[in-house]
Each structure stands twice: as C-alpha cells, then as structure tokens.
Amino acid sequence: MVKVCVSGYYGFKNFGDEAILSVLTKHLKDADVTVFSSDPQFTEEIYGVKSVRSFDLRKVIETIKNTDVLISGGGSLLQDVTSLKSLVYYSLIIALGLLFNKKVIIFAQGIGPINNKFAQIIVKNLLKQCQLVTVRDENSLKLLENWGIDARLVCDPIYSLDIERLETQNTVGIQLREFKTVNYNLLQKLAMFVSAKFSDKKVEIFSLQEAQDLELCKKFEKILHSINSEIKTEIVTDNIIERISMLEYLIAMRFHAILCALKCGVKTCAVNYDIKVEKLAQDAQLPLLSMDAHENLEQIYDKLQNINNDELSRFANSKFFDWTEFDKLF
C-alpha cells in the first residue's frame, strides 16, 4: 500500500479546505494516508485517516521520512499576504519531502502573492524540484510560467463533489467571512436589501469557519433584526452543504460556498472580496456585489430573479477535475 502524507490548512474546520480534503482522501481510499492537522483527532474521526499535529515537527519529519508521496495542498498555502510564517512552514514541509527524496505533489494550489523577495527565491527553487505542480487559477499558472516552472491548470477539486439538490425550504442564505475590506456600510446595505426583498423567507446566516466568521455573522444578524425585528433568522455552522442545497437564494463571499450553490442550482449573488470570487461569478454569469455595495440593488435583485437554476448546475457539472497526471505518480 502506497504511503501518502498530506500537508495543508487542515483541522481548523474551514469549510473549503475540509471539503478539499474530503475529495482528496476519497480519491486516495486505497492508500495509507496521514494528514498533518491542527486537530488530529477531528481529522481522524471525519476522514478515517491517520493524522499528526501540524507543528509537532518530530512526528512530521518522521512521517515524511516513512512516506512515499507528499501532497501539499490544496488551497492558498504558498503566499505571504496572510502571514510569512505560514509560507515558511508549508515551504519547510515541501523542502523536507524533497530532502528525503519523496515524490512531491503541489495539489490544486493558488500560488502567491509572494511579496518577500527571499521567499520568492525559496518557493521558486522548491517548486522546480517537485514531481507535479497543479494550480487552480490562471494567475498562479502565469506566475509559475514566468519562473520557468512546468505547472498544470486544474479546476477546483470541489467540482468533484457529488451534491444532491434537496427540496427548497423557502430560505435565503447569507454567507459572510471576516476580511479586512468588510465594513459596516456593506452589512447595513445588505441587511436592508434582505429585509426589503426576502422578509417573507427565513434567513440562514452561514458561518463556514467558526473561529473566523461567527462573530461577523452574529453582528449581521443583529443589524438585520434592528431593521426588521420580525424576520426569522438562524446562524448555520453545521451540515453546510446540505443546508445550502435547500436554499432558494444565496448571497455569499466565500468561493466554495458559491461553488456548492452552483452545483445545487441555487440562485446566487457573489460578494466580490477576492479575484477568485469575481472570476467565478463572471464565468457562471452571477450578479456580483462589491465590498462597498455601490451597485443598483434593484438591478442586482432582477438579475438574481432571472437566473436559470438548471443553467447553474450545468455550468458546475461541466467542470471536470483531471486526476490523470496525479494518478501516474502512484
């Protein structure tokens, strides 16, 4: 049995990263998999794999020494916008895999931005030595091409999820994430919009990473109730995919929330906090709301109303994650 270790932003209960890990571990069902995680017990229980604490370097090194293949990803691991410390950590894991002559796969990552010049040199030299480098967006591909690295563009692994569309429950979903450009003006306008257009529906406010999003979701709920005290609300933290699949409408910031909604044919408006969300909205022809919500909200609502549910599903299901090059290394 092939031994595989997986390095990524796992165990933090971030919906997108955990969904990617779910896809990856299912594909590797015939391998002996160990995942580096901030919460090894959680990871073992959810995915039925072995797990080692991410920052237990003794066990991490021992695991890499005894593995056949090291997978780094998915997600945006190799960037220094969030923190230089995390970039150093994920680079160290890749370096250890190469040092011990293991097959190293960069799995569906978004590379960059990397502003630190020394970090750029390190990452460039590491990636040149990896057996397979796959990236999830064209900007990452162009960056690596400029560095002289042979990389392949793949779609997001979440496109591989088989999501069943459940019966609509007369609900509208609002999915928010804490981010530097989130502001009171956006929350206020969004709450007024929801109250004006969806007061007859239950409003489900989705927190996809409790440590990061929950307080913002509670803040939005409070603003919404200050505008309309009668509107029914619930903050949703569990069974995310199932709950999204029952929505009639979704207004969302996170890429993977939008992607799951597309696969279920849920009429969706994207909130443009990041270029990857903007690109997805453009590709799927979704209405797009900026972070200052300066758009004509009546026009946004009209576009939302006129979305064809089946077209959304067809778009999402037309994407195919190609495992061919990945599987050759096993």
Side-chain angles (χ1 to χ4, degrees), residues 34-255:
T34 301
V35 176
F36 300 147
S37 169
S38 70
D39 188 340
Q41 183 178 350
F42 168 81
T43 299
E44 289 179 352
E45 289 175 356
I46 296 297
Y47 305 105
V49 297
K50 298 173 186 174
S51 186
V52 167
R53 192 170 300 280
S54 302
F55 290 99
D56 187 340
L57 286 182
R58 184 183 64 80
K59 288 186 179 179
V60 165
I61 292 170
E62 183 181 327
T63 302
I64 296 174
K65 274 185 178 180
N66 293 319
T67 199
D68 299 305
V69 182
L70 166 67
I71 299 172
S72 175
S76 299
L77 306 181
L78 301 175
Q79 49 82 22
D80 61 5
V81 175
T82 305
S83 94
L84 182 59
K85 181 181 176 182
S86 65
L87 173 62
V88 170
Y89 170 78
Y90 292 118
S91 298
L92 174 63
I93 299 300
I94 295 168
L96 287 169
L98 295 170
L99 178 66
F100 297 131
N101 295 313
K102 307 304 177 181
K103 294 177 181 178
V104 179
I105 297 172
I106 305 301
F107 180 70
Q109 285 206 37
I111 310 294
I114 303 175
N115 297 309
N116 184 287
K117 298 298 182 184
F118 185 61
Q120 287 181 16
I121 294 170
I122 290 174
V123 172
K124 182 193 300 186
N125 286 307
L126 288 175
L127 296 188
K128 282 183 176 179
Q129 300 176 68
C130 295
Q131 274 69 31
L132 177 64
V133 178
T134 60
V135 294
R136 67 184 185 188
D137 62 88
E138 291 177 358
N139 287 339
S140 297
L141 184 66
K142 289 176 183 176
L143 173 64
L144 297 191
E145 285 176 347
N146 289 337
W147 285 356
I149 294 168
D150 179 23
R152 291 167 173 79
L153 180 65
V154 295
C155 69
D156 194 282
I158 304 305
Y159 281 109
S160 297
L161 280 178
D162 185 18
I163 304 176
E164 182 184 359
R165 171 66 158 151
L166 300 178
E167 186 176 348
T168 304
Q169 299 296 309
N170 193 36
T171 52
V172 56
I174 308 295
Q175 184 279 306
L176 301 169
R177 64 157 292 170
E178 189 60 65
F179 197 71
K180 58 188 176 183
T181 52
V182 171
N183 56 82
Y184 181 80
N185 186 52
L186 171 68
L187 299 180
Q188 178 79 8
K189 286 185 177 180
L190 191 54
M192 292 175 67
F193 176 69
V194 171
S195 178
K197 301 300 183 183
F198 303 116
S199 60
D200 60 328
K201 302 182 187 301
K202 181 184 177 185
V203 180
E204 296 185 345
I205 306 168
F206 285 78
S207 170
L208 269 58
Q209 185 179 9
E210 190 169 331
Q212 192 174 86
D213 300 349
L214 186 57
E215 287 307 312
L216 179 63
C217 291
K218 289 179 179 178
K219 183 177 181 180
F220 177 76
E221 184 180 45
K222 187 175 181 180
I223 293 171
L224 184 57
H225 282 155
S226 72
I227 294 170
N228 184 348
S229 60
E230 301 299 318
I231 200 163
K232 295 179 180 178
T233 62
E234 178 187 356
I235 293 178
V236 178
T237 59
D238 296 313
N239 302 318
I240 299 296
I241 293 177
E242 181 180 333
R243 297 293 287 270
I244 287 176
S245 74
M246 292 187 286
L247 294 173
E248 190 174 353
Y249 300 94
L250 175 66
I251 301 170
M253 289 179 67
R254 286 187 182 266
F255 179 92

